[in-house]
Amino acid sequence: MGAPLDRSATWPYEDGEPGRFSYVRADHPTGAACEEALGALDGGHALLYPSGMGAVTTVVLTMLRPGGTIALAEGAYYGHRVLFDHLAPWGANVVEFDQTGPPPANADLIFLEAPANPLLTMPDLEAAATHPAPVICDATVATPLRLRPLEHGTDVVVHSATKILAGHDDVLAGVTVTRDPELRDRLHLTRRLAGIVASADTAWLVHRGLETLETRLARQEATASVLAERLAAHPAVTTVRYPGFSFLIAFDVADGEAAARVERAIRVIENATSLGGVRSKLEARHRWEGDRIPTGLIRLSVGLEEQETLWADVEQALAQV
Ligand code: PLP
C-alpha cells in the first residue's frame, strides 16, 4: 500500500526549527507522497490541489499579468471559459482558437486540452511550443500514460484528478506538473498563500487510484474503441468523435429531443455528469455548454463494465430515438 494517511495540521519542530513539514497549508506528507508519484508519471514536478479548477486558478493567478490574453482551445472543457470570463475584472482576456493549428500571435498564455472535452480534438503541441507564450495543457482525458505533454515543449500539465487518475467518483482533486522547478515553486507559493490545498484524505485517495490506473485505463480504452466503432455504424448516430485512445466518446444523435430520449432510456450506464470513473456515464452536454456544441451531442465516459452489457444498453437506448 502507498503512503500512510496523516491528517495532522501541524508537525513538531525539530531542534527548535520547522522541519520538512510544519503547517499543512504549505505541505503535508500524504500530499508529498502523492505528488512524487504524479511527478514520476508525467516526468516533472507535481503539485496537488483540491480540484482541477483549483489547479487552473493557481496557474492563471501565477502566470498571467493583468491585461494579458489567454488563448484557449475551442471545444475545451467549458468550465475553463467560464472561469476565465469570471476573472475578467482582474484583467484576464480570453480568445478561443483552433488548437489543431498554431495559437494566435497576441496570446500571453496558451491553454490547450488533450483531447478537448467534449469535442475531442488533439492540440498541435509542437506548434504551440514555438510561440513565445507559456503553454498549459490540460491532459485529463489523455492521462500521463498516453501523453506526456512536458516532452513536447509544454510548460505546465494540468489534470482534473477527479476523473480517471483517482477513478472512482469519490474525490475532487487537481494536479499541475512542470518541467521547471522554479515554476513549480512559484505555483506552490500561490497555492500556499491562497490556501488552494488538497487535504490528506484527498491525496490518499488520488494516490490509491494511481495504483490501478494502468489496468483501468487499458480496459476502459479497449471497450471505448469497440463502442466507438459500433456507434459509427449505427443508423441513429450522425457523428462519432473518438481520438483513438482513452475512455471518452462524444457522439451525436439527431437533436436535443433525441439526446434526451437516450438519457432517459439507458439502464446500466448512469445518466450523470463527469468522466473517467469505473462506472460508465452518459449525458447530453448541450444543457451545460449551449450553442458551442451540437444540440444532439452525447458524451459517453466508458467504465469497467462488461463490453457487451454496455453495448446492449446503448443499443436499446438508441432504439428509442
Ligand atoms: N479539465 C477537464 C478536462 C474536465 O473535464 C474538468 C471537469 O469536468 C476539469 C478540468 C475541472 O476539474 P474539477 O471538476 O476537478 O475541478
Side-chain angles (χ1 to χ4, degrees), residues 218-264:
R219 179 171 163 116
Q220 290 174 230
E221 179 175 69
T223 309
S225 66
V226 171
L227 296 188
E229 235 172 69
R230 293 185 188 172
L231 281 165
H234 196 286
V237 174
T238 56
T239 307
V240 177
R241 301 169 199 80
Y242 179 63
F245 66 98
S246 207
F247 56 85
L248 200 63
I249 302 169
F251 64 95
D252 294 359
V253 289
D255 52 27
E257 288 284 300
R261 280 198 287 277
V262 172
E263 285 193 299
R264 285 194 287 268

Side-chain angles (χ1 to χ4, degrees), residues 50-56 76-80 111 113 115-117 138-141 158-163 171-174 248 273-275 285 299:
S51 66
M53 297 317 289
V56 175
Y77 174 55
Y78 86 114
H80 295 324
F111 201 102
E113 199 164 278
N117 162 25
D138 180 336
T140 297
V141 177
V158 171
H159 298 285
S160 166
T162 314
K163 310 299 191 299
V171 64
L172 183 71
L248 200 63
T273 198
S274 203
L275 49 108
R285 289 294 298 172
R299 191 182 67 191

